[in-house]
Amino acid sequence: GAVVSQHPSRVICKSGTSVKIECRSLDFQATTMFWYRQFPKQSLMLMATSNEGSKATYEQGVEKDKFLINHASLTLSTLTVTSAHPEDSSFYICSARDTFTGTNNYGYTFGSGTRLTVV
Amino acid sequence: QKEVEQNSGPLSVPEGAIASLNCTYSDRGSQSFFWYRQYSGKSPELIMSIYSNGDKEDGRFTAQLNKASQYVSLLIRDSQPSDSATYLCAVNIYGQNFVFGPGTRLSVLP
């Protein structure tokens, strides 16, 4: 089945630094990648939708200059948290759908998630 | 009104019992429905999908969809402690992005 590889799984960084999270679709092409954030004991919150070759679409309340998304190829999307602060500490998860074999009736595949801790 | 609603739980059932998880959605244009399981500290994994009214069975899992009532449920038969997790209902609205419910925490007691 479709696999989305996400790295790193855990990262601890100092306040004010930037962190890059990568998501790769290993055996399919992902035209669209979704980035979610999940705080403890809360549900997934969609942050942005990343489309290959174009600018990402951000959800209301998500700062596009703080959460930089790049989707330069059909198999790779990155999320960079710039000038991270402790309130950015969260679980970040990407997901994608196999565009060429899937329809809207196919579930999305999630990456394994990145636990970001900003100290 | 939230688009996808679930009871947050926790729902506690004894081992071997049937766990019943419920989800309601507000948009009648919703086309497809999914249940994900999420263990603590892990990302969600797809366990069931359903598109048509009625029941769909897969092993110990049965998804039930009633579009008229805008209701989808997940039954887990012979519940095991390893089923203890948060179950997320997801709805595909107008063929666009998924909308997730808040999740129901299930605890299966040995």
Side-chain angles (χ1 to χ4, degrees), chain A residues 34 38 43 104-105 108 110-111, chain B residues 32 36 38 43 51 92 95 97 101:
Chain A
F34 301 94
Q38 187 176 37
S43 189
N104 291 327
N105 289 335
Y108 285 59
F110 284 88
Chain B
S32 45
Y36 285 82
Q38 186 177 23
S43 65
Y51 327 119
N92 198 337
N97 299 343

Side-chain angles (χ1 to χ4, degrees), chain A residues 60-91:
Chain A
Q60 191 173 8
V62 178
E63 300 174 58
K64 62 179 181 181
D65 294 330
K66 180 172 184 61
F67 299 98
L68 301 179
I69 292 175
N70 184 285
H71 194 159
S73 77
L74 285 172
T75 59
L76 174 65
S77 177
T78 62
L79 167 67
T80 301
V81 183
T82 63
S83 186
H85 291 284
E87 58 265 31
D88 297 323
S89 299
S90 188
F91 191 48

Side-chain angles (χ1 to χ4, degrees), chain A residues 93-110:
Chain A
I93 314 173
C94 61
S95 75
R97 177 169 58 92
D98 185 346
T99 308
F100 293 97
T101 63
T103 67
N104 291 327
N105 289 335
Y106 285 82
Y108 285 59
T109 300
F110 284 88

